[in-house]
Structure formats: C-alpha cells, structure tokens
Amino acid sequence: MKRMKLLLAVAILLVTALQGHAQTPTGTAIPLDATVSADGQSVELRWFDAVPPRAEESLLSRRPLGATGSETWQPLARLPGTHIRTTDDTIIPGVAYEYRLFRRHAGTFSAGYWATGTDIPAPQDRGTVFIALENSLTALLQPRLTRLEDDLTGAGWQVQWLGTPRHQSDAIQTLIHARALKQRLRDGLNAQAPGRRHMLLLLGHVPLVLSGSVGPDGHHPEPHASDLFYGDLSGVWRDNGAGILMHDRLPDGDIELPVGRVDFAQIAGGDTALEQAHLRAYLDKTHHWRHGVLGDLRVAYGQTEHLQVEKFDLRNVLGPEALTTGGHHNAGETQPWLWGLDFGHWKGADYAGYAIKPVFAMNFGSGKQKINKRNNAIIGLLAQPFYTVAVAWGARPSWRLHHMALGHSIGQMQMVTVNNGAQGGRYPEGMDYVPTGAYPWRAPIWVNLLGDPTLTAFPLPAPRNLRAVAQDGRVRLDWQGAAGRYQLLRASPDGAYTLLADITAAHEFIDETPIDGARYQLRALGKQTVYAGSFHTASQGVFAQVGVPPVSAPDLRQTLSGAGPHRVIFDQQGALLAPIHPPEVGRLTLTGDGWHYLAPNGFSGGVEIAVSASGSGGTAIGRLVLDITP
C-alpha cells in the first residue's frame, strides 16, 4: 500500500510538472537566413519560410556575439508582421554580431537567431583547460597524453592536470571522490587570473554523480547523471545521505565552465582493454581533426523534428543548401559530415556495427541522456572509430549551435545552452534563447557533453615537417604548408611560449639568438570564409627542437591470407600510428587488442589505408597497404 501511494504521488508530481510546462507557451523556432555584404558593413536577414507566415509584429534585436543576459539584446527595428526581411547597415567589420527575431502571433511567439560578422580577429589566449584524468590511465596512455597537451598548447590553451580515482559502484564513495575532484578544480580556478576562460575535460571513467528525480524524456523520473556538477563551482549541491544529489536544476542556475567527458566504460562491458582502445582511438581522431587531416567539412544531415532548433542553427553554421535530410543510419554512413542530427537507434550495443561519420552529433531518443547506463547509445556514437569527436542528447533542452559559425567551440555551446537566462526570470522575456524545446527548460542538470569541449569547426591545416637545425651558432627552421602567413613561438625548457616572429610569404626562419634546449612552435594563420561571414584563426601548432628530427611518413605493408578478421599491425619506431579513414574495401574495426581488418568474402588484391604518424610535435601522413589473398 505504501509503495502504491508513493508511485501515485510521483505520477501526480510528474503530470503536474508537465501540465505546468504546457500552460506556458513554449514557442516555435524561426529558420532565419542572412547575407553579409562583401564590404562587411551591412547584413540582410530573411525569414520568408517562417511558420506561421503572419504575425502581429516582428521585433529585431542585436548584441555582440558572446554577450549574455536577456537585457543585452538591444532593439533595432519593430516591423509589421507581414515583413519577411530587413537590412542592418550599421555593422562594422571586425565585430561579431548576434541577431534575434521575435514574433508574436495568436497568443504565442516564435524566435530565431543568427550570428554574423566579417574579419573577426582570432583569439590570442583561449584560457586554461583542466584535464581530470583517471589515475590508472596515466602510464597506459602516456604518449597520447603528451600529444594531447601539445595539441591543446598548440591551440592556444594552457593545460593543468588533475588526477582522480576511477568511478566506484558505491554511490557514497563516488560522491566523496567527485567532491574532492571538484575542490581541486575550484582551487585551481581560484589561482587563475580573474576573467580567464576555463574548460574541463574528464578523461576516463572519472566519478559520475547522480542527481535529482526527473524524466526529461517523458519516462519514469529517476536520478540522472550530471557532469554539470563539476562545472557549477558556486552552487551548493545537497545529497540524500546515500550518495545521490537532490537537484533537478542547477542550484544557482548556471555553470562557470563547460565540461566534456570522454569515457567508454559503459560500452566496454568490463573489458578494460577495449575501454582503453576506445580512448586511444578517440585521442587519435581528435588529433586528426585539430590538424585538419579530416578535411574542411561543410555539410550536415538531420531528419527528426525533435531537433528542429538545432537544425535551424546549422543553417547559420553551414548554410541552408548544405543541410541534407537523413539520419545516422542512412546518410550518416555514406560520407564524412561536420554535423549529424537524428533520433538514432535506441540500442547502444548495436553501434559497434555502424560506420557513422559526423564530427559533431546529436543523438536524441528515450533513455539516451542516461550516460551512466550500460550500452548507452550516445557513448556508442562517440565510439565511432574515425570521425565523431563530440555528442550530446539535444532537444530537451534544445542546444544552441549557431556560435560555431564563427569559430566558437562545442563547449561554449554547452555553456550557452545551460546558462540560458536568470533562473527566476520570466519565460520567454527573461531568457537568452527561446524556444528551449518541448518545454521551457531552465538550468537542467542533465545537459552533458560527451567529447572534448575545446573542439571547434573549420580547422586550418597545420604546417608540416617543421625542422630545427643548429648552424653556426644560430638555428634554422624550415617547414611545408600552404598558408601565406605563419606565427613562430619559442619556449625555454622551463618557460612559456612567447612570440618570436610573424612570418609572411616564407617557409623558413633563422633564429639569431637561440636558447639552449628551446622548443619552437609554429602555427599557420589564415581567414576562414564561412556562410555567416569570415573570421581569422590559427591552425594547430606544431613543434620542433634542435636534435629531434620530424616524424617521417609511414609506408607500411602487410600480407593477410585466409578468412578474417585479421589483426592489423601499425608499427613505426618512435611514433604513434593510427588509421585516418575507413578503407574503401572491407571493414576496419576496433577491439581490445587493436585494429582488425575483414575483407569482403572472396576478395583478393591490395587495400590502402591512410595512416598518420605523430611524435616529436608533428604529424605526417602515409599509408598502410594490405595485400589480401583468399
């Protein structure tokens, strides 16, 4: 009887909550489009395919891209509801803007957002990345961890490492470890300069806390996994004495830094070798993406109406014509994509058999937001071996993505989505962005990001073959690359990198005053012209030292005979080797003991696989040829 009463009470609370949401008009999204002029001094915004087409009036507002708080929106024009376009001729090149179109009609509203600007300057100091690393992984992943620090340093970040015990099955012990990690993070942040940007990467099976009792997917309410616990440093999180936190919403309404998790324990089924293999593969494919090895992707797919807001934002990132109707399991497997949005298959265990190829993805569907569950489908998508570097649930609430059009990271998009207006403000007036999906979500605790939060779209290809050679008391540096401008930095053995030279129309430099043991860093500089406008950016940095030769491109060959799958040997002394793309013939899959190739039945001949070799601060691209005999 007591159990029946409890279940009835929970049901009444859930129904009441949903009814409360339903009584608040959640609004609809407007698919905007815009064109910025060649001189960067005007932008035409259009909403001719807005639904519904008529409104009482349209209010256009603008603010600097990156501003937060509903009060930062400054009205530009109040237009009749029949208007379908307008032009702002007051913009200035070098400034990034964000527009909001707000329309009222029939007692509800619709809203759309657009980011634009030309010649936006590149950030010089991105901030600090804290990496919370599961202690047991330090030795196992050391070469790749060193490369990861180089990659982050070469992208303009400072790096601080925080060790932590592995997640425990005991909830109380897990919460103890999580709180200890959070305090170390708080201490590290307090030692930083005020106003500095921060991000947190959880690497490995870092303690994963549960909080609240909620069912955002419409199913039975229960505690949900929340990495936002680490990102909310000022809120007071209470627990129930049994290791479960008690909050459905962030205690003080926002997070201070984005948090991304790279953790494959839930799909490895206790096989730590497989878990570690997925971690190595993840670090390899993010390295490829940062260095521009996977290409400059300008296409996306999507098909579910649940992710309509996210799909409309991708119009801003890539342009309406770059969006294809399709899902993870049809379009997603045909080619590489920058973004993929879909209500993918619910069965996470099946994702090991897929070959889905978006770099960034949303995977909506019941239960997928529960990243603590065995065979989670979002983690399964992150484990796709060659492309996918970041995945989120989306839709509830809707993620805002349009800032990525001008170089903002996926972690910044998580923070924009979570910190969406004051917790006690009115909806929609007190929100930065509306609609928030099916319901007016405010500061929910389940908006987890799986993947590295520092990653961005549109990477520039990095320079290649950087060498540093001592000559007559000087150091000569030379390299290869297609950029017209480069930035060269230098660090003493125990010091930070400082700018040594800005180099135009050359691929060499002489350091007349070298420092013993110095390490050099080189970045290509360029302008990315995108659908939303243009922004200046730097490539991933590459590194060199006197006496350390650049890594050489692999040229490998292996003979395989008989029925597969066969283990593929990637081996070159002094370098990390990894496949870049799937082979055109057959299938390359990952297991706990490495990569395995399975040829089509009866196939014979040569199969070429593109391979990267990284080490000593650089990356070279070569190949592995498999000679297949039946």
Side-chain angles (χ1 to χ4, degrees), residues 129 131 133 141-155 159 161 201 203 282-283 286-287 290 452 454-455 540 543 576:
V129 180
I131 304 178
L133 175 68
L141 298 178
Q142 190 56 64
R144 284 175 171 82
L145 299 178
T146 300
R147 186 184 64 189
L148 173 62
E149 182 162 355
D150 274 348
D151 282 346
L152 290 167
T153 301
V159 180
W161 295 87
L201 171 60
L203 191 56
Y282 180 84
L283 294 173
T286 54
H287 177 75
R290 293 180 196 276
D452 185 329
T454 70
L455 296 169
Q540 176 65 53
F543 301 84
L576 296 169

PDB file of all heavy atoms in Angstrom, residues 129 131 133 141-155 159 161 201 203 282-283 286-287 290 452 454-455 540 543 576:
ATOM      1  N   VAL A 129      42.618  24.812 -19.844  1.00  0.00           N
ATOM      2  CA  VAL A 129      41.894  23.546 -19.851  1.00  0.00           C
ATOM      3  C   VAL A 129      42.378  22.709 -18.678  1.00  0.00           C
ATOM      4  O   VAL A 129      43.581  22.436 -18.555  1.00  0.00           O
ATOM      5  CB  VAL A 129      42.116  22.757 -21.152  1.00  0.00           C
ATOM      6  CG1 VAL A 129      41.345  21.443 -21.110  1.00  0.00           C
ATOM      7  CG2 VAL A 129      41.694  23.561 -22.348  1.00  0.00           C
ATOM      8  N   ILE A 131      42.308  19.051 -17.152  1.00  0.00           N
ATOM      9  CA  ILE A 131      42.048  17.678 -17.581  1.00  0.00           C
ATOM     10  C   ILE A 131      42.023  16.802 -16.344  1.00  0.00           C
ATOM     11  O   ILE A 131      43.048  16.603 -15.686  1.00  0.00           O
ATOM     12  CB  ILE A 131      43.099  17.169 -18.573  1.00  0.00           C
ATOM     13  CG1 ILE A 131      43.199  18.105 -19.785  1.00  0.00           C
ATOM     14  CG2 ILE A 131      42.755  15.747 -19.019  1.00  0.00           C
ATOM     15  CD1 ILE A 131      44.255  17.699 -20.787  1.00  0.00           C
ATOM     16  N   LEU A 133      41.999  13.360 -15.109  1.00  0.00           N
ATOM     17  CA  LEU A 133      42.399  12.083 -15.689  1.00  0.00           C
ATOM     18  C   LEU A 133      42.257  10.970 -14.657  1.00  0.00           C
ATOM     19  O   LEU A 133      42.755  11.088 -13.528  1.00  0.00           O
ATOM     20  CB  LEU A 133      43.854  12.168 -16.156  1.00  0.00           C
ATOM     21  CG  LEU A 133      44.486  10.884 -16.684  1.00  0.00           C
ATOM     22  CD1 LEU A 133      43.847  10.468 -18.001  1.00  0.00           C
ATOM     23  CD2 LEU A 133      45.997  11.067 -16.847  1.00  0.00           C
ATOM     24  N   LEU A 141      48.337   5.538 -21.253  1.00  0.00           N
ATOM     25  CA  LEU A 141      48.079   6.462 -22.363  1.00  0.00           C
ATOM     26  C   LEU A 141      49.166   7.525 -22.515  1.00  0.00           C
ATOM     27  O   LEU A 141      48.977   8.482 -23.268  1.00  0.00           O
ATOM     28  CB  LEU A 141      46.729   7.161 -22.160  1.00  0.00           C
ATOM     29  CG  LEU A 141      45.479   6.289 -22.132  1.00  0.00           C
ATOM     30  CD1 LEU A 141      44.242   7.153 -21.884  1.00  0.00           C
ATOM     31  CD2 LEU A 141      45.317   5.503 -23.418  1.00  0.00           C
ATOM     32  N   GLN A 142      50.301   7.378 -21.837  1.00  0.00           N
ATOM     33  CA  GLN A 142      51.247   8.480 -21.719  1.00  0.00           C
ATOM     34  C   GLN A 142      51.652   9.132 -23.039  1.00  0.00           C
ATOM     35  O   GLN A 142      51.621  10.368 -23.146  1.00  0.00           O
ATOM     36  CB  GLN A 142      52.496   8.031 -20.961  1.00  0.00           C
ATOM     37  CG  GLN A 142      53.426   9.188 -20.582  1.00  0.00           C
ATOM     38  CD  GLN A 142      52.706  10.250 -19.769  1.00  0.00           C
ATOM     39  OE1 GLN A 142      52.261   9.985 -18.666  1.00  0.00           O
ATOM     40  NE2 GLN A 142      52.575  11.449 -20.315  1.00  0.00           N
ATOM     41  N   PRO A 143      52.040   8.395 -24.073  1.00  0.00           N
ATOM     42  CA  PRO A 143      52.423   9.087 -25.315  1.00  0.00           C
ATOM     43  C   PRO A 143      51.279   9.935 -25.893  1.00  0.00           C
ATOM     44  O   PRO A 143      51.514  11.045 -26.379  1.00  0.00           O
ATOM     45  CB  PRO A 143      52.807   7.949 -26.263  1.00  0.00           C
ATOM     46  CG  PRO A 143      53.142   6.808 -25.358  1.00  0.00           C
ATOM     47  CD  PRO A 143      52.224   6.946 -24.189  1.00  0.00           C
ATOM     48  N   ARG A 144      50.066   9.437 -25.812  1.00  0.00           N
ATOM     49  CA  ARG A 144      48.943  10.198 -26.335  1.00  0.00           C
ATOM     50  C   ARG A 144      48.564  11.355 -25.418  1.00  0.00           C
ATOM     51  O   ARG A 144      48.058  12.382 -25.892  1.00  0.00           O
ATOM     52  CB  ARG A 144      47.754   9.269 -26.574  1.00  0.00           C
ATOM     53  CG  ARG A 144      47.917   8.412 -27.820  1.00  0.00           C
ATOM     54  CD  ARG A 144      46.808   7.401 -27.996  1.00  0.00           C
ATOM     55  NE  ARG A 144      46.886   6.745 -29.296  1.00  0.00           N
ATOM     56  CZ  ARG A 144      47.684   5.726 -29.570  1.00  0.00           C
ATOM     57  NH1 ARG A 144      48.473   5.239 -28.623  1.00  0.00           N
ATOM     58  NH2 ARG A 144      47.703   5.184 -30.785  1.00  0.00           N
ATOM     59  N   LEU A 145      48.767  11.221 -24.130  1.00  0.00           N
ATOM     60  CA  LEU A 145      48.523  12.342 -23.221  1.00  0.00           C
ATOM     61  C   LEU A 145      49.518  13.464 -23.478  1.00  0.00           C
ATOM     62  O   LEU A 145      49.161  14.649 -23.438  1.00  0.00           O
ATOM     63  CB  LEU A 145      48.600  11.870 -21.770  1.00  0.00           C
ATOM     64  CG  LEU A 145      47.586  10.801 -21.348  1.00  0.00           C
ATOM     65  CD1 LEU A 145      47.811  10.398 -19.900  1.00  0.00           C
ATOM     66  CD2 LEU A 145      46.160  11.288 -21.560  1.00  0.00           C
ATOM     67  N   THR A 146      50.758  13.106 -23.736  1.00  0.00           N
ATOM     68  CA  THR A 146      51.761  14.125 -24.096  1.00  0.00           C
ATOM     69  C   THR A 146      51.356  14.836 -25.379  1.00  0.00           C
ATOM     70  O   THR A 146      51.452  16.063 -25.490  1.00  0.00           O
ATOM     71  CB  THR A 146      53.137  13.462 -24.261  1.00  0.00           C
ATOM     72  OG1 THR A 146      53.514  12.844 -23.026  1.00  0.00           O
ATOM     73  CG2 THR A 146      54.185  14.483 -24.663  1.00  0.00           C
ATOM     74  N   ARG A 147      50.885  14.058 -26.355  1.00  0.00           N
ATOM     75  CA  ARG A 147      50.438  14.664 -27.613  1.00  0.00           C
ATOM     76  C   ARG A 147      49.210  15.544 -27.396  1.00  0.00           C
ATOM     77  O   ARG A 147      49.084  16.618 -27.997  1.00  0.00           O
ATOM     78  CB  ARG A 147      50.130  13.567 -28.630  1.00  0.00           C
ATOM     79  CG  ARG A 147      49.783  14.088 -30.022  1.00  0.00           C
ATOM     80  CD  ARG A 147      49.389  12.966 -30.950  1.00  0.00           C
ATOM     81  NE  ARG A 147      48.167  12.305 -30.501  1.00  0.00           N
ATOM     82  CZ  ARG A 147      47.693  11.171 -31.033  1.00  0.00           C
ATOM     83  NH1 ARG A 147      48.346  10.568 -32.017  1.00  0.00           N
ATOM     84  NH2 ARG A 147      46.575  10.644 -30.580  1.00  0.00           N
ATOM     85  N   LEU A 148      48.290  15.106 -26.519  1.00  0.00           N
ATOM     86  CA  LEU A 148      47.110  15.912 -26.221  1.00  0.00           C
ATOM     87  C   LEU A 148      47.514  17.255 -25.618  1.00  0.00           C
ATOM     88  O   LEU A 148      46.958  18.302 -25.995  1.00  0.00           O
ATOM     89  CB  LEU A 148      46.191  15.157 -25.255  1.00  0.00           C
ATOM     90  CG  LEU A 148      44.988  15.932 -24.709  1.00  0.00           C
ATOM     91  CD1 LEU A 148      44.052  16.357 -25.835  1.00  0.00           C
ATOM     92  CD2 LEU A 148      44.234  15.094 -23.678  1.00  0.00           C
ATOM     93  N   GLU A 149      48.466  17.250 -24.707  1.00  0.00           N
ATOM     94  CA  GLU A 149      48.916  18.520 -24.129  1.00  0.00           C
ATOM     95  C   GLU A 149      49.544  19.403 -25.193  1.00  0.00           C
ATOM     96  O   GLU A 149      49.321  20.623 -25.219  1.00  0.00           O
ATOM     97  CB  GLU A 149      49.895  18.280 -22.987  1.00  0.00           C
ATOM     98  CG  GLU A 149      50.356  19.563 -22.328  1.00  0.00           C
ATOM     99  CD  GLU A 149      50.962  19.374 -20.962  1.00  0.00           C
ATOM    100  OE1 GLU A 149      50.965  18.245 -20.441  1.00  0.00           O
ATOM    101  OE2 GLU A 149      51.442  20.385 -20.391  1.00  0.00           O
ATOM    102  N   ASP A 150      50.322  18.807 -26.087  1.00  0.00           N
ATOM    103  CA  ASP A 150      50.863  19.577 -27.211  1.00  0.00           C
ATOM    104  C   ASP A 150      49.739  20.161 -28.062  1.00  0.00           C
ATOM    105  O   ASP A 150      49.793  21.329 -28.476  1.00  0.00           O
ATOM    106  CB  ASP A 150      51.751  18.696 -28.084  1.00  0.00           C
ATOM    107  CG  ASP A 150      53.187  18.627 -27.598  1.00  0.00           C
ATOM    108  OD1 ASP A 150      53.559  19.436 -26.729  1.00  0.00           O
ATOM    109  OD2 ASP A 150      53.928  17.751 -28.081  1.00  0.00           O
ATOM    110  N   ASP A 151      48.719  19.352 -28.352  1.00  0.00           N
ATOM    111  CA  ASP A 151      47.619  19.823 -29.191  1.00  0.00           C
ATOM    112  C   ASP A 151      46.887  20.996 -28.536  1.00  0.00           C
ATOM    113  O   ASP A 151      46.541  21.977 -29.205  1.00  0.00           O
ATOM    114  CB  ASP A 151      46.637  18.685 -29.470  1.00  0.00           C
ATOM    115  CG  ASP A 151      47.132  17.736 -30.542  1.00  0.00           C
ATOM    116  OD1 ASP A 151      48.096  18.076 -31.250  1.00  0.00           O
ATOM    117  OD2 ASP A 151      46.547  16.639 -30.675  1.00  0.00           O
ATOM    118  N   LEU A 152      46.627  20.906 -27.250  1.00  0.00           N
ATOM    119  CA  LEU A 152      45.931  21.987 -26.553  1.00  0.00           C
ATOM    120  C   LEU A 152      46.813  23.220 -26.451  1.00  0.00           C
ATOM    121  O   LEU A 152      46.364  24.350 -26.669  1.00  0.00           O
ATOM    122  CB  LEU A 152      45.478  21.513 -25.179  1.00  0.00           C
ATOM    123  CG  LEU A 152      44.353  20.481 -25.193  1.00  0.00           C
ATOM    124  CD1 LEU A 152      44.192  19.826 -23.828  1.00  0.00           C
ATOM    125  CD2 LEU A 152      43.042  21.107 -25.642  1.00  0.00           C
ATOM    126  N   THR A 153      48.095  23.022 -26.134  1.00  0.00           N
ATOM    127  CA  THR A 153      49.031  24.149 -26.093  1.00  0.00           C
ATOM    128  C   THR A 153      49.134  24.794 -27.473  1.00  0.00           C
ATOM    129  O   THR A 153      49.137  26.023 -27.598  1.00  0.00           O
ATOM    130  CB  THR A 153      50.413  23.671 -25.626  1.00  0.00           C
ATOM    131  OG1 THR A 153      50.300  23.081 -24.328  1.00  0.00           O
ATOM    132  CG2 THR A 153      51.402  24.825 -25.578  1.00  0.00           C
ATOM    133  N   GLY A 154      49.192  23.950 -28.497  1.00  0.00           N
ATOM    134  CA  GLY A 154      49.296  24.463 -29.856  1.00  0.00           C
ATOM    135  C   GLY A 154      48.039  25.128 -30.361  1.00  0.00           C
ATOM    136  O   GLY A 154      48.051  25.816 -31.385  1.00  0.00           O
ATOM    137  N   ALA A 155      46.911  24.946 -29.646  1.00  0.00           N
ATOM    138  CA  ALA A 155      45.661  25.635 -29.990  1.00  0.00           C
ATOM    139  C   ALA A 155      45.480  26.908 -29.160  1.00  0.00           C
ATOM    140  O   ALA A 155      44.452  27.580 -29.297  1.00  0.00           O
ATOM    141  CB  ALA A 155      44.474  24.708 -29.774  1.00  0.00           C
ATOM    142  N   VAL A 159      47.332  24.197 -19.968  1.00  0.00           N
ATOM    143  CA  VAL A 159      46.825  22.897 -19.539  1.00  0.00           C
ATOM    144  C   VAL A 159      47.223  22.649 -18.090  1.00  0.00           C
ATOM    145  O   VAL A 159      48.371  22.859 -17.703  1.00  0.00           O
ATOM    146  CB  VAL A 159      47.381  21.765 -20.428  1.00  0.00           C
ATOM    147  CG1 VAL A 159      46.851  20.413 -19.972  1.00  0.00           C
ATOM    148  CG2 VAL A 159      47.028  22.017 -21.894  1.00  0.00           C
ATOM    149  N   TRP A 161      46.644  19.438 -15.187  1.00  0.00           N
ATOM    150  CA  TRP A 161      46.186  18.070 -14.999  1.00  0.00           C
ATOM    151  C   TRP A 161      45.707  17.862 -13.569  1.00  0.00           C
ATOM    152  O   TRP A 161      46.315  18.341 -12.614  1.00  0.00           O
ATOM    153  CB  TRP A 161      47.305  17.077 -15.306  1.00  0.00           C
ATOM    154  CG  TRP A 161      47.735  17.097 -16.731  1.00  0.00           C
ATOM    155  CD1 TRP A 161      48.673  17.912 -17.304  1.00  0.00           C
ATOM    156  CD2 TRP A 161      47.234  16.277 -17.794  1.00  0.00           C
ATOM    157  NE1 TRP A 161      48.799  17.651 -18.644  1.00  0.00           N
ATOM    158  CE2 TRP A 161      47.925  16.640 -18.973  1.00  0.00           C
ATOM    159  CE3 TRP A 161      46.287  15.253 -17.856  1.00  0.00           C
ATOM    160  CZ2 TRP A 161      47.679  16.023 -20.195  1.00  0.00           C
ATOM    161  CZ3 TRP A 161      46.057  14.642 -19.072  1.00  0.00           C
ATOM    162  CH2 TRP A 161      46.740  15.016 -20.231  1.00  0.00           C
ATOM    163  N   LEU A 201      37.925  18.876 -19.093  1.00  0.00           N
ATOM    164  CA  LEU A 201      37.831  17.621 -19.827  1.00  0.00           C
ATOM    165  C   LEU A 201      37.983  16.476 -18.832  1.00  0.00           C
ATOM    166  O   LEU A 201      38.998  16.393 -18.128  1.00  0.00           O
ATOM    167  CB  LEU A 201      38.919  17.540 -20.903  1.00  0.00           C
ATOM    168  CG  LEU A 201      39.089  16.196 -21.617  1.00  0.00           C
ATOM    169  CD1 LEU A 201      37.817  15.788 -22.336  1.00  0.00           C
ATOM    170  CD2 LEU A 201      40.263  16.255 -22.600  1.00  0.00           C
ATOM    171  N   LEU A 203      38.596  12.684 -18.499  1.00  0.00           N
ATOM    172  CA  LEU A 203      39.195  11.683 -19.379  1.00  0.00           C
ATOM    173  C   LEU A 203      39.302  10.350 -18.644  1.00  0.00           C
ATOM    174  O   LEU A 203      40.034  10.228 -17.659  1.00  0.00           O
ATOM    175  CB  LEU A 203      40.568  12.163 -19.844  1.00  0.00           C
ATOM    176  CG  LEU A 203      41.248  11.394 -20.962  1.00  0.00           C
ATOM    177  CD1 LEU A 203      40.371  11.311 -22.208  1.00  0.00           C
ATOM    178  CD2 LEU A 203      42.588  12.039 -21.324  1.00  0.00           C
ATOM    179  N   TYR A 282      39.977   7.601 -29.685  1.00  0.00           N
ATOM    180  CA  TYR A 282      39.393   8.938 -29.559  1.00  0.00           C
ATOM    181  C   TYR A 282      40.484  10.002 -29.607  1.00  0.00           C
ATOM    182  O   TYR A 282      40.357  11.017 -30.322  1.00  0.00           O
ATOM    183  CB  TYR A 282      38.594   9.064 -28.264  1.00  0.00           C
ATOM    184  CG  TYR A 282      37.990  10.448 -28.122  1.00  0.00           C
ATOM    185  CD1 TYR A 282      36.779  10.750 -28.726  1.00  0.00           C
ATOM    186  CD2 TYR A 282      38.659  11.469 -27.451  1.00  0.00           C
ATOM    187  CE1 TYR A 282      36.248  12.028 -28.648  1.00  0.00           C
ATOM    188  CE2 TYR A 282      38.137  12.743 -27.370  1.00  0.00           C
ATOM    189  CZ  TYR A 282      36.934  13.017 -27.972  1.00  0.00           C
ATOM    190  OH  TYR A 282      36.419  14.302 -27.909  1.00  0.00           O
ATOM    191  N   LEU A 283      41.556   9.811 -28.864  1.00  0.00           N
ATOM    192  CA  LEU A 283      42.637  10.794 -28.867  1.00  0.00           C
ATOM    193  C   LEU A 283      43.287  10.897 -30.240  1.00  0.00           C
ATOM    194  O   LEU A 283      43.763  11.973 -30.633  1.00  0.00           O
ATOM    195  CB  LEU A 283      43.665  10.443 -27.798  1.00  0.00           C
ATOM    196  CG  LEU A 283      43.152  10.538 -26.359  1.00  0.00           C
ATOM    197  CD1 LEU A 283      44.190  10.001 -25.380  1.00  0.00           C
ATOM    198  CD2 LEU A 283      42.779  11.969 -26.000  1.00  0.00           C
ATOM    199  N   THR A 286      40.663  12.980 -32.556  1.00  0.00           N
ATOM    200  CA  THR A 286      40.647  14.414 -32.234  1.00  0.00           C
ATOM    201  C   THR A 286      41.936  15.075 -32.696  1.00  0.00           C
ATOM    202  O   THR A 286      41.922  16.228 -33.139  1.00  0.00           O
ATOM    203  CB  THR A 286      40.437  14.650 -30.734  1.00  0.00           C
ATOM    204  OG1 THR A 286      41.411  13.919 -29.983  1.00  0.00           O
ATOM    205  CG2 THR A 286      39.051  14.222 -30.300  1.00  0.00           C
ATOM    206  N   HIS A 287      43.046  14.349 -32.593  1.00  0.00           N
ATOM    207  CA  HIS A 287      44.315  14.873 -33.123  1.00  0.00           C
ATOM    208  C   HIS A 287      44.199  15.105 -34.625  1.00  0.00           C
ATOM    209  O   HIS A 287      44.627  16.154 -35.144  1.00  0.00           O
ATOM    210  CB  HIS A 287      45.434  13.879 -32.813  1.00  0.00           C
ATOM    211  CG  HIS A 287      46.773  14.260 -33.361  1.00  0.00           C
ATOM    212  ND1 HIS A 287      47.555  15.249 -32.801  1.00  0.00           N
ATOM    213  CD2 HIS A 287      47.459  13.796 -34.433  1.00  0.00           C
ATOM    214  CE1 HIS A 287      48.679  15.364 -33.489  1.00  0.00           C
ATOM    215  NE2 HIS A 287      48.637  14.496 -34.487  1.00  0.00           N
ATOM    216  N   ARG A 290      41.955  18.279 -35.245  1.00  0.00           N
ATOM    217  CA  ARG A 290      42.631  19.545 -34.935  1.00  0.00           C
ATOM    218  C   ARG A 290      43.633  19.928 -36.017  1.00  0.00           C
ATOM    219  O   ARG A 290      43.789  21.107 -36.330  1.00  0.00           O
ATOM    220  CB  ARG A 290      43.381  19.429 -33.602  1.00  0.00           C
ATOM    221  CG  ARG A 290      42.533  19.272 -32.362  1.00  0.00           C
ATOM    222  CD  ARG A 290      43.450  19.185 -31.159  1.00  0.00           C
ATOM    223  NE  ARG A 290      42.793  18.681 -29.982  1.00  0.00           N
ATOM    224  CZ  ARG A 290      42.068  19.410 -29.138  1.00  0.00           C
ATOM    225  NH1 ARG A 290      41.892  20.687 -29.387  1.00  0.00           N
ATOM    226  NH2 ARG A 290      41.522  18.867 -28.076  1.00  0.00           N
ATOM    227  N   ASP A 452      35.579  16.288 -26.160  1.00  0.00           N
ATOM    228  CA  ASP A 452      36.473  17.373 -25.761  1.00  0.00           C
ATOM    229  C   ASP A 452      35.767  18.712 -25.973  1.00  0.00           C
ATOM    230  O   ASP A 452      35.400  19.054 -27.099  1.00  0.00           O
ATOM    231  CB  ASP A 452      37.742  17.300 -26.603  1.00  0.00           C
ATOM    232  CG  ASP A 452      38.806  18.293 -26.195  1.00  0.00           C
ATOM    233  OD1 ASP A 452      38.461  19.382 -25.705  1.00  0.00           O
ATOM    234  OD2 ASP A 452      39.996  17.987 -26.380  1.00  0.00           O
ATOM    235  N   THR A 454      36.854  21.713 -26.079  1.00  0.00           N
ATOM    236  CA  THR A 454      37.618  22.765 -26.762  1.00  0.00           C
ATOM    237  C   THR A 454      37.497  22.706 -28.273  1.00  0.00           C
ATOM    238  O   THR A 454      37.940  23.636 -28.967  1.00  0.00           O
ATOM    239  CB  THR A 454      39.111  22.668 -26.399  1.00  0.00           C
ATOM    240  OG1 THR A 454      39.683  21.489 -26.998  1.00  0.00           O
ATOM    241  CG2 THR A 454      39.316  22.625 -24.897  1.00  0.00           C
ATOM    242  N   LEU A 455      36.879  21.670 -28.824  1.00  0.00           N
ATOM    243  CA  LEU A 455      36.907  21.452 -30.272  1.00  0.00           C
ATOM    244  C   LEU A 455      35.976  22.413 -31.015  1.00  0.00           C
ATOM    245  O   LEU A 455      34.885  22.723 -30.554  1.00  0.00           O
ATOM    246  CB  LEU A 455      36.544  20.013 -30.591  1.00  0.00           C
ATOM    247  CG  LEU A 455      37.541  18.986 -30.052  1.00  0.00           C
ATOM    248  CD1 LEU A 455      36.986  17.576 -30.181  1.00  0.00           C
ATOM    249  CD2 LEU A 455      38.880  19.097 -30.776  1.00  0.00           C
ATOM    250  N   GLN A 540      46.382  24.471 -35.768  1.00  0.00           N
ATOM    251  CA  GLN A 540      47.011  23.761 -34.672  1.00  0.00           C
ATOM    252  C   GLN A 540      48.523  24.004 -34.732  1.00  0.00           C
ATOM    253  O   GLN A 540      49.118  23.987 -35.802  1.00  0.00           O
ATOM    254  CB  GLN A 540      46.727  22.275 -34.803  1.00  0.00           C
ATOM    255  CG  GLN A 540      47.397  21.420 -33.782  1.00  0.00           C
ATOM    256  CD  GLN A 540      46.877  21.707 -32.394  1.00  0.00           C
ATOM    257  OE1 GLN A 540      45.680  21.671 -32.174  1.00  0.00           O
ATOM    258  NE2 GLN A 540      47.769  22.004 -31.474  1.00  0.00           N
ATOM    259  N   PHE A 543      55.519  21.455 -33.424  1.00  0.00           N
ATOM    260  CA  PHE A 543      56.653  21.737 -32.565  1.00  0.00           C
ATOM    261  C   PHE A 543      57.938  21.148 -33.139  1.00  0.00           C
ATOM    262  O   PHE A 543      57.912  20.174 -33.886  1.00  0.00           O
ATOM    263  CB  PHE A 543      56.406  21.149 -31.171  1.00  0.00           C
ATOM    264  CG  PHE A 543      55.171  21.688 -30.495  1.00  0.00           C
ATOM    265  CD1 PHE A 543      53.919  21.137 -30.767  1.00  0.00           C
ATOM    266  CD2 PHE A 543      55.249  22.740 -29.605  1.00  0.00           C
ATOM    267  CE1 PHE A 543      52.776  21.627 -30.159  1.00  0.00           C
ATOM    268  CE2 PHE A 543      54.111  23.240 -28.989  1.00  0.00           C
ATOM    269  CZ  PHE A 543      52.880  22.681 -29.261  1.00  0.00           C
ATOM    270  N   LEU A 576      53.524   7.477 -32.919  1.00  0.00           N
ATOM    271  CA  LEU A 576      52.184   6.926 -32.734  1.00  0.00           C
ATOM    272  C   LEU A 576      51.531   6.815 -34.100  1.00  0.00           C
ATOM    273  O   LEU A 576      51.425   7.810 -34.823  1.00  0.00           O
ATOM    274  CB  LEU A 576      51.355   7.846 -31.843  1.00  0.00           C
ATOM    275  CG  LEU A 576      51.818   8.035 -30.402  1.00  0.00           C
ATOM    276  CD1 LEU A 576      51.035   9.175 -29.745  1.00  0.00           C
ATOM    277  CD2 LEU A 576      51.638   6.753 -29.622  1.00  0.00           C
TER     278      LEU A 576
END
